[in-house]
């Protein structure tokens, strides 16, 4: 007769092996999905860079030439001064759109300079104070820098457009193998349990997940909003 105790132990061991195989398969699937998500974001960044160049080199140059001709016509009294002013504003908007789609400062001068530029660009002309502090001794890799920049861009855009904030603080730091970003505003806030997850929050959360980064949002009505992301390097 077979030993009942031995049979139970064999069944338990077989179950453990089966669970281990399932965990391994699940991890493989998660790694594959994360790799696909990273490739998708990389393709989007490449497309942003291409469109940025086209806006700058194509439409930007056409608007520059048009603005100069309109200004010459205005100086000669052929048209009103408001027409070249409108063209100049359109040119400025296209240039800013081009820079925001793929800021060259991020590639040329790094994340710290890019974050300072981003805050100046998005908060300029707004009735609020913005403070930026960066403590990054060793520059992160390009993918991590782009990730942090894009989440900062989305968080700042939301704060400026929707939060009615009077103060925005942006902190970026690196501790060992972790790159951290915090964007904090003192705006109207929202109820985390009832608010509908808009495109902005969803995009930030999905982008962070694609790079195995931890993403947190803390907010309450009247209590502002605090967005954090911790990126493993």
């Amino acid at each position: 007769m077979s030993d009942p105790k031995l049979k139970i132990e064999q069944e338990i061991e077989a179950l453990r092996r089966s669970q281990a195989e399932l965990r391994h398969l699940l991890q493989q699937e998660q790694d594959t999905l994360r790799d696909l998500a990273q490739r998708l974001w990389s393709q989007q960044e490449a497309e942003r860079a291409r469109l940025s160049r086209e806006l700058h080199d194509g439409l930007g140059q056409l608007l520059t030439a048009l603005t100069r001709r309109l200004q010459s016509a205005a100086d000669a009294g052929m048209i009103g001064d408001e027409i070249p002013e409108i063209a100049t504003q359109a040119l400025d908007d296209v240039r800013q759109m081009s820079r925001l789609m793929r800021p060259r400062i991020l590639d040329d001068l790094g994340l710290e300079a890019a974050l300072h530029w981003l805050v100046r660009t998005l908060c300029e002309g707004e009735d609020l104070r913005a403070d930026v502090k960066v403590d990054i001794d060793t520059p992160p890799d390009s993918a991590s820098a782009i990730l942090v920049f894009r989440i900062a861009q989305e968080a700042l855009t939301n704060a400026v457009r929707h939060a009615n904030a009077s103060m925005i603080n942006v902190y970026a730091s690196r501790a060992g193998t972790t790159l951290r970003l915090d964007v904090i505003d003192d705006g109207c806030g929202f109820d985390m349990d009832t608010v509908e997850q808009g495109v902005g929050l969803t995009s930030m959360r999905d982008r962070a997940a694609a790079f195995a980064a931890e993403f947190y949002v803390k907010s309450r009505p009247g209590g502002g909003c605090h967005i954090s992301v911790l990126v493993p390097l």
Side-chain angles (χ1 to χ4, degrees), residues 32 39 57 60 103 116 132 135-136 138 159 192 221:
T32 299
R39 291 183 184 182
D57 298 337
H116 281 279
V132 186
D135 182 15
I136 301 176
T138 305
M192 294 290 297

Side-chain angles (χ1 to χ4, degrees), residues 133-151:
K133 293 182 179 179
V134 180
D135 182 15
I136 301 176
D137 294 331
T138 305
D141 60 273
S142 177
S144 298
I146 292 173
L147 168 63
V148 168
F149 179 86
R150 290 303 181 198
I151 290 180

Side-chain angles (χ1 to χ4, degrees), residues 1 9-10 43 47 56-57 69 95 97 115 172 196:
M1 290 181 62
E9 290 176 351
Q10 290 174 341
Q43 289 173 355
E47 184 66 11
H56 181 272
D57 298 337
R69 292 193 178 188
R95 284 174 173 170
M97 186 183 304
L115 288 175
E196 182 179 353

